[in-house]
Amino acid sequence: MKHEIKLIVAGALLAAGAAFVIAAPVAENWENHCAKCHGADGKGQTKVGKKLNVLDYTSAADQAKFTDEQAIKVTTEGAKDKAGKERMKGFKDELSAQEIKDLVAHVRKFKK
Ligand code: HEC
């Protein structure tokens, strides 16, 4: 009986540890998945960001151009231009819904 409890506790700890590894901190996700285009500072002044003409997330005017719902949708599913060419890929296979929500909140924080 005692032994069984120990096993259950060990299993629960393992599961908690695994969840912790999967959900990376938002700043780390931004750096790894988004900064290449949107910039570490959210201004989009990277080589790729300039080429794709991304918005400046420190600008209130640019922040007003999209809703949180749209931001979540784009980050989840990606965005294409009118010709159907991909502008940003979707991250639904790499990030959880919670991580995407956290990233959108992160995007909002760049606004001055
Ligand atoms: C390959 C470059 C690239 C990467 C990497 C990238 N984005 Fe984007 N992102 C874009 C482009 C380009 C747009 C504009 C899409 C359009 O034309 O509607 C965009 C649009 C968005 C939007 C909608 C608001 C807006 O600016 O139009 C959000 C929110 C966003 N990106 C967040 C993210 C997040 C979060 C990540 C990382 C998980 C990320 N992006 C990674 C290029 C990128």
Side-chain angles (χ1 to χ4, degrees):
M1 186 61 192
K2 236 187 181 172
H3 202 73
E4 243 167 61
I5 290 171
K6 259 193 203 152
L7 272 177
I8 291 165
V9 170
L13 283 175
L14 262 179
F20 189 75
V21 171
I22 290 162
V26 65
E28 208 170 280
N29 276 337
W30 180 261
E31 199 53 47
N32 290 340
H33 301 291
C34 323
K36 188 179 79 170
C37 297
H38 293 288
D41 58 4
K43 289 186 179 170
Q45 290 301 304
T46 64
K47 201 173 155 203
V48 198
K50 280 185 194 161
K51 205 174 126 201
L52 292 171
N53 199 20
V54 297
L55 298 181
D56 174 0
Y57 292 149
T58 64
S59 146
D62 275 3
Q63 285 271 2
K65 289 178 183 166
F66 59 93
T67 64
D68 285 357
E69 284 70 33
Q70 286 166 339
I72 288 169
K73 189 161 191 276
V74 169
T75 309
T76 307
E77 294 168 17
K80 294 191 168 108
D81 67 14
K82 286 194 187 89
K85 197 169 167 276
E86 186 177 273
R87 301 232 321 129
M88 174 179 151
K89 70 164 187 169
F91 286 86
K92 62 172 176 291
D93 295 334
E94 286 163 71
L95 302 170
S96 69
Q98 185 60 50
E99 285 177 305
I100 289 172
K101 253 179 91 182
D102 291 348
L103 279 164
V104 168
H106 191 71
V107 161
R108 292 302 191 194
K109 281 198 194 126
F110 287 120
K111 186 172 133 182
K112 290 206 174 111

